[in-house]
């Protein structure tokens, strides 16, 4: 098991979302895993505490998504994705905020965190209907430092 798999597995485990999760990309440099959280969770009330616990467990440091450091991590993740697939768009460091606003306009609550830890950076996003109905989805992106 690679370090990226271990990190993603631990993050998914904190949300009890490992079972049924699927990698969307796994090229050795970056791992993107999508799944759903089977437990009833109110992400508006519970996600921040879980995110804090995850960051602490990895001895990580949160990164503000509107910062130069976030831009560097997003650019690195983008390069790692582009090393495996063709993407016909430019890198957009502000895409996270636009995505959140778009989801919220559709009645979806989104919670996310970006953080760095020794040897890797990670971005976790969860989303669920604003009325707290239906499943809660999760995507974990883990990028290894080269």
């Amino acid at each position: 098991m690679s370090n990226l798999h271990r990190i993603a597995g631990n993050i998914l485990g904190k949300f009890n979302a490992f079972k049924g999760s699927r990698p969307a990309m796994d090229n050795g440099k970056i791992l993107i895993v999508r799944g759903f959280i089977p437990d009833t969770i109110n992400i508006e009330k519970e996600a921040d505490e879980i995110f804090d616990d995850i960051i602490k467990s990895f001895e990580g440091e949160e990164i503000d998504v509107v910062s130069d450091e976030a831009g560097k991590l997003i650019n690195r993740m983008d390069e790692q994705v582009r090393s495996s697939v063709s993407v016909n768009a430019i890198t957009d460091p502000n895409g996270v905020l636009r995505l959140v606003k778009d989801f919220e306009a559709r009645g979806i609550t989104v919670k996310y965190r970006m953080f760095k830890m020794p040897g890797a950076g990670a971005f976790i996003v969860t989303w669920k209907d604003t009325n707290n109905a239906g499943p809660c989805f999760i995507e974990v992106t883990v990028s290894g430092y080269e």
Side-chain angles (χ1 to χ4, degrees):
M1 176 186 293
S2 78
N3 189 44
L4 301 181
H5 289 95
R6 182 186 60 77
I7 293 167
N10 285 339
I11 292 169
L12 291 166
K14 294 281 187 183
F15 282 96
N16 192 25
F18 190 78
K19 185 178 179 182
S21 63
R22 299 282 183 263
M25 174 168 279
D26 182 3
N27 67 12
K29 299 175 189 174
I30 190 166
L31 174 62
I32 303 171
V33 182
R34 295 180 180 140
F36 72 96
I37 302 168
D39 299 333
T40 302
I41 181 172
N42 183 326
I43 65 171
E44 191 67 45
K45 295 179 180 178
E46 299 173 62
D48 288 328
E49 184 177 324
I50 297 170
F51 288 147
D52 290 343
D53 184 47
I54 289 167
I55 293 169
K56 183 179 177 183
S57 73
F58 285 109
E59 298 177 5
E61 180 182 327
E62 185 173 352
I63 299 172
D64 183 344
V65 297
V66 183
S67 68
D68 288 340
E69 192 165 11
K72 290 176 187 175
L73 179 57
I74 290 168
N75 284 328
R76 184 176 69 245
M77 289 176 168
D78 184 68
E79 288 173 12
Q80 292 169 331
V81 167
R82 289 173 191 265
S83 72
S84 293
V85 297
S86 177
V87 178
N88 294 324
I90 61 171
T91 305
D92 183 5
N94 294 315
V96 171
L97 297 179
R98 271 195 289 286
L99 176 71
V100 169
K101 287 181 182 179
D102 184 47
F103 270 35
E104 289 173 345
R106 296 175 186 202
I108 298 170
T109 298
V110 180
K111 289 288 191 171
Y112 59 90
R113 290 282 179 91
M114 182 178 287
F115 68 100
K116 64 181 181 177
M117 66 200 97
F123 180 66
I124 311 165
V125 61
T126 59
W127 64 97
K128 186 173 185 172
D129 178 90
T130 300
N131 295 322
N132 209 31
C136 183
F137 297 94
I138 185 168
E139 181 172 298
V140 176
T141 302
V142 185
S143 168
Y145 294 149
E146 298 173 344

